[in-house]
Amino acid sequence: MCSRGVFASVLSSLLALCIASTAFADDSAVVTYDGECVIRADIRSARDLRTLLAIAEEEFSHRIDLGEVDFRVKRARLAALTAAGIRFEMRVPDLAEVVRNERVRLATAAEGGIAGDASWFADFKTIAQINAKLDEWAIAHPSLVSSVTAGASLEGRVVRGIRISSTPVGANVPAVLFDAGQHAREWIGPMTAMFLANALIDGASSNARIARILSTCEIFILPSVNPDGYEHTWTTARLWRKNRRDNGNGTFGVDPNRNWGFQWGRGGASTDPASETYRGTAAFSEPETQSLRDFFYAHPNIVGHMDYHSYSQLVLWPWGYTTTAPLEAPAFDAIADRMRATILANGGQPYIAGQIATTLYIASGSIVDWVYGDRAITSLTIELRDTGTTGFVLPPEQIIPTGVENVPAALDLIEATAFGCVIGFPDALPTLLPYNETAEVRFSATPMPGVSAVLSKRAFARVGSGAYNEVAVVTAADVSTATLPTNDCGAIVEYYFECTTARGMVRAPAMPNTAYSASVTSSSLLFEDSFETSLGWTVGATGDTATGGVWTRVDPNATAAQPENDSSDAGAMCFITGQGAVGGALGSADVDGGATTLTSPLLNASDADAVLTYRRWYSNNTGSAPNADSMPISISNDGGASWVLLEDVTENANAWVERSVRVANFVTPSASVRVRCVARDLASGSVVEAGFDFVRVSVTGCPSNPSDINGDGSVDASDLAQLLGAWGLAGVTDIDGSGVTNAADLAMLLGNWS
């Protein structure tokens, strides 16, 4: 095993040998992929990588590192991998069958067969069908949609797109550009760009958020910026990546996303024309990159850009050519994290956000680096679904879910770049506020690249259905604090945030007339553990068989599946399943070989209204057997003699999630309550990472109102009748406790009238 530093050095040399079996002539013959499969190999050394690069047909993963990487391999050569001691899991056993079935399905749909009458987004579309849809939109919505072009391809195909805006063409408004299809085989990219276009067009008259965007901005969508390569994937080679340049030596294709002029020709781009990452003979040597470059030049009002790719479920930002972060990294990190959270919140999959070079690999000559580095425009790329279960040949059932989760994130990007700032939340937003105590909500308001400052950071709140009032905000350069009203126990408080720049105003939540909400309640704390000190949690139980990734209380080191920090800024420690090295690969110190159990000390939850709250982390959507495991969390009221399931966690949030449960809903409250969490690796090849933090037991509720004499939750005429009927007497009608029911009690009752 080599060290990670040595491996990185060896890797930079090996990447120049990238595999490209489809780059050679006989280039016009249909590629069937007979006898091929896709595997996920476990790379443990530079020797493993050299062996795989020599044996495999092509590397599919976006990141080559110690750990798991996807390769396209001839099945006949799998024995050689086994003989070399390389461990691997089968991802796609018969690639030829998958590609063949896809062609049959698409041909049947094109002939009006089983899928011929389905929604336009029910299956993937050819370049001709995409262009026809663009024309259809422009004809049907002339005041909203107009056609645009961005030059022509090597084979003379026009790079087509549309402008969507309710402002006049040529208006001086900010613009945001979305493109897709630089890499031809990544079919979900063009479909997601088209799904976004459809959502904007449909929402222009029915969605207040979209209507505001389109009345103040223009959106350009170029769904297929490598049309020659895309056409080639439909007619000849399904897994073709590059454009269709004849390199003159029997190889074909330049990688458009290594041909851009900013830091062209540095690491992560090949000089070998046979390579899938061949950078071309010079920066902008290809008409596809020239055309898109010139589109940016022709539209100096573009302030935001998104480049759609697949696969891996990532939200990425510059730089790609170096691991050094850009000066405006905080802004990129803020918008990428906001988009990641939005995708997850909209019923989507967990995406990972980060800088290209550190999250994926070194890649020079990319569009994202050029757009930011040359044009000073906020530019990101999203690697869409999935994480490798099907890879590039994504089932059509994934088209609409991918679009649904990405449209709100695209709106986040548009608003942040067009109006100049992005609002984020370092902590989970509260759903309960403490009665008559200070309730603070922390939020960030970060200026985007090209914006000098945020001019104002504001928060507004209302109690019940009244008018919103501005609340006090203590502003800071990074995280500001808003104070919410809590003087009405039992009330619902609704609140929202605004940040303003010279470009405009951004609101969170973004949709007008919506707000976050929380209930005001009284709470007394019976137990709390932030894990900063040891309070007696037990690791291990009868039946535990895990050989790695056992629960441990540490300040965690992040991987793609494990958190970097505990669940709050109040401390650093939490329980996680295994502590890997700094910069560890996916699956570093994850749970292996069975179960590992974490059990609490005795908790006093004897109050009938006791509430148990905890924060948990769970990730099981990576590896070669994703979503094959679960994490049961249970509660006991007899010290651990018997257990009742609270939840069986399968949610791959890849984030800290807070859960609160009423103890009495599961067991009889007692002073001998325990909670336990079992992280399990039950499927070969799965990656399981878990965390547990910030456990507390509290009693919540509102103190009874003495004016509510009959206890029905409302102070009204029935209470007044009881008070008047007991005038001069003691008892429950003696609201102020003076010993007699009199005018003072009447005044209090009327003052609390519902």
Side-chain angles (χ1 to χ4, degrees):
M1 174 72 74
C2 64
S3 71
R4 182 165 297 278
V6 172
F7 182 82
S9 176
V10 173
L11 174 60
S12 64
S13 300
L14 291 175
L15 285 177
L17 304 175
C18 281
I19 310 155
S21 66
T22 59
F24 293 90
D26 178 13
D27 192 66
S28 62
V30 174
V31 180
T32 62
Y33 306 99
D34 286 338
E36 295 186 3
C37 60
V38 179
I39 65 168
R40 178 158 290 177
D42 182 13
I43 296 177
R44 293 169 292 169
S45 65
R47 172 188 172 277
D48 286 350
L49 179 57
R50 281 193 295 266
T51 302
L52 279 158
L53 290 175
I55 289 175
E57 302 297 306
E58 185 179 358
E59 178 267 319
F60 273 0
S61 290
H62 284 294
R63 183 177 180 89
I64 301 180
D65 204 342
L66 294 176
E68 297 177 329
V69 181
D70 295 351
F71 290 90
R72 178 166 65 91
V73 184
K74 295 282 190 184
R75 286 196 299 273
R77 309 202 73 181
L78 293 178
L81 293 179
T82 301
I86 295 174
R87 297 180 295 190
F88 62 88
E89 293 284 342
M90 186 64 66
R91 305 295 287 175
V92 181
D94 190 341
L95 185 58
E97 181 182 29
V98 171
V99 172
R100 182 168 55 251
N101 289 343
E102 181 183 65
R103 286 177 178 155
V104 170
R105 185 190 76 239
L106 292 168
T108 303
E111 294 168 1
I114 55 173
D117 296 324
S119 158
W120 198 87
F121 292 99
D123 215 328
F124 298 95
K125 296 295 186 286
T126 65
I127 190 66
Q129 290 170 317
I130 288 172
N131 289 338
K133 191 66 173 178
L134 296 175
D135 290 338
E136 177 187 318
W137 281 329
I139 293 170
H141 308 277
S143 63
L144 183 69
V145 181
S146 54
S147 297
V148 298
T149 61
S153 67
L154 188 70
E155 295 178 347
R157 291 181 175 85
V158 176
V159 178
R160 300 278 309 280
I162 53 175
R163 173 193 187 266
I164 309 174
S165 179
S166 56
T167 68
V169 174
N172 185 23
V173 295
V176 181
L177 170 64
F178 294 83
D179 72 70
Q182 280 205 91
H183 292 150
R185 64 192 176 190
E186 298 166 8
W187 286 8
I188 190 60
M191 295 304 294
T192 301
M194 294 293 284
F195 194 93
L196 171 61
N198 188 71
L200 293 174
I201 294 167
D202 284 352
S205 59
S206 61
N207 183 295
R209 182 184 186 189
I210 291 175
R212 180 198 179 215
I213 287 172
L214 297 182
S215 68
T216 52
C217 313
E218 58 182 3
I219 311 301
F220 295 109
I221 296 181
L222 302 172
S224 183
V225 296
N226 176 14
D228 299 347
Y230 189 70
E231 179 71 11
H232 193 67
T233 63
W234 280 78
T235 62
T236 309
R238 174 63 180 86
L239 297 177
W240 186 262
R241 169 184 166 103
K242 301 184 286 183
N243 76 352
R244 294 296 299 145
R245 169 72 66 185
D246 185 343
N247 295 318
N249 63 348
T251 70
F252 289 80
V254 170
D255 182 350
N257 209 32
R258 299 296 185 274
N259 191 239
W260 290 78
F262 186 83
Q263 301 294 337
W264 177 85
R266 297 187 62 168
S270 178
T271 59
D272 180 3
S275 170
E276 294 285 20
T277 59
Y278 176 47
R279 68 193 189 191
T281 56
F284 294 117
S285 62
E286 304 311 298
E288 293 85 2
T289 53
Q290 294 169 21
S291 296
L292 195 47
R293 173 200 62 190
D294 294 344
F295 190 89
F296 279 99
Y297 287 155
H299 298 86
N301 60 326
I302 294 176
V303 295
H305 168 249
M306 170 60 69
D307 180 40
Y308 285 122
H309 286 264
S310 72
Y311 59 90
S312 284
Q313 296 177 194
L314 305 168
V315 185
L316 302 169
W317 42 271
W319 303 114
Y321 81 92
T322 177
T323 57
T324 301
L327 291 176
E328 293 168 303
F332 280 111
D333 189 47
I335 183 58
D337 188 65
R338 174 61 182 269
M339 295 171 73
R340 175 204 60 77
T342 295
I343 289 170
L344 187 64
N346 282 273
Q349 293 292 306
Y351 283 50
I352 295 170
Q355 184 182 343
I356 295 171
T358 55
T359 306
L360 275 181
Y361 46 36
I362 295 288
S364 62
S366 72
I367 187 174
V368 170
D369 279 7
W370 182 85
V371 172
Y372 176 58
D374 188 271
R375 305 298 295 162
I377 294 169
T378 303
S379 181
L380 293 90
T381 187
I382 283 187
E383 298 285 349
L384 300 163
R385 294 192 184 190
D386 57 8
T387 57
T389 302
T390 56
F392 298 120
V393 191
L394 197 67
E397 297 80 27
Q398 296 283 336
I399 295 172
I400 292 176
T402 303
V404 167
E405 69 194 14
N406 274 278
V407 165
L411 300 183
D412 285 344
L413 177 64
I414 294 169
E415 289 170 333
T417 54
F419 306 134
C421 58
V422 59
I423 296 173
F425 303 101
D427 311 314
L429 290 174
T431 57
L432 297 176
L433 301 176
Y435 168 56
N436 228 14
E437 298 179 23
T438 300
E440 296 180 338
V441 178
R442 303 194 314 146
F443 70 101
S444 60
T446 308
M448 298 306 295
V451 176
S452 58
V454 172
L455 302 179
S456 68
K457 306 172 185 179
R458 307 170 71 189
F460 299 82
R462 70 178 181 182
V463 178
S465 58
Y468 283 99
N469 296 300
E470 188 166 0
V471 300
V473 172
V474 178
T475 61
D478 48 4
V479 178
S480 300
T481 304
T483 302
L484 300 181
T486 62
N487 56 358
D488 193 355
C489 196
I492 301 297
V493 177
E494 295 183 318
Y495 58 99
Y496 66 91
F497 304 88
E498 290 180 356
C499 62
T500 305
T501 73
R503 291 184 184 174
M505 183 270 289
V506 172
R507 186 184 191 276
M511 184 72 77
N513 302 317
T514 62
Y516 305 113
S517 66
S519 301
V520 179
T521 186
S522 178
S523 178
S524 59
L525 193 65
L526 302 180
F527 173 86
E528 182 174 274
D529 191 354
S530 63
F531 297 114
E532 296 308 302
T533 60
S534 176
L535 296 185
W537 289 70
T538 302
V539 174
T542 301
D544 279 5
T545 57
T547 57
V550 173
W551 287 105
T552 181
R553 186 176 68 88
V554 292
D555 179 358
N557 295 325
T559 71
Q562 181 173 289
E564 169 66 25
N565 299 303
D566 71 348
S567 66
S568 76
D569 290 339
M573 307 294 282
C574 62
F575 270 96
I576 59 169
T577 49
Q579 175 75 308
V582 175
L586 174 69
S588 173
D590 70 314
V591 182
D592 287 319
T596 177
T597 301
L598 176 67
T599 306
S600 76
L602 289 176
L603 310 178
N604 179 10
S606 56
D607 192 285
D609 294 318
V611 173
L612 169 69
T613 301
Y614 54 87
R615 295 174 185 168
R616 41 92 167 157
W617 179 289
Y618 187 67
S619 176
N620 180 222
N621 64 326
T622 55
S624 58
N627 305 303
D629 296 303
S630 66
M631 180 173 70
I633 300 176
S634 304
I635 189 170
S636 169
N637 67 346
D638 53 14
S642 61
W643 293 93
V644 173
L645 185 69
L646 289 174
E647 60 171 335
D648 194 18
V649 181
T650 58
E651 173 192 15
N652 287 292
N654 277 0
W656 287 106
V657 175
E658 182 172 294
R659 286 294 311 274
S660 293
V661 297
R662 187 170 181 265
V663 172
N665 290 348
F666 296 88
V667 295
T668 301
S670 78
S672 300
V673 165
R674 294 187 194 269
V675 61
R676 76 177 182 191
C677 183
V678 183
R680 306 183 295 181
D681 172 37
L682 304 180
S684 176
S686 64
V687 174
V688 177
E689 290 283 18
F692 213 64
D693 195 20
F694 208 70
V695 177
R696 61 188 183 274
V697 179
S698 59
V699 179
T700 61
C702 288
S704 60
N705 187 340
S707 296
D708 180 17
I709 296 172
N710 63 4
D712 65 356
S714 178
V715 180
D716 52 24
S718 61
D719 301 299
L720 176 61
Q722 280 193 238
L723 184 144
L724 295 176
W727 196 266
L729 303 176
V732 295
T733 55
D734 176 20
I735 299 173
D736 66 356
S738 65
V740 63
T741 302
N742 55 24
D745 302 301
L746 175 61
M748 290 187 67
L749 186 146
L750 295 176
N752 289 315
W753 195 267
S754 294

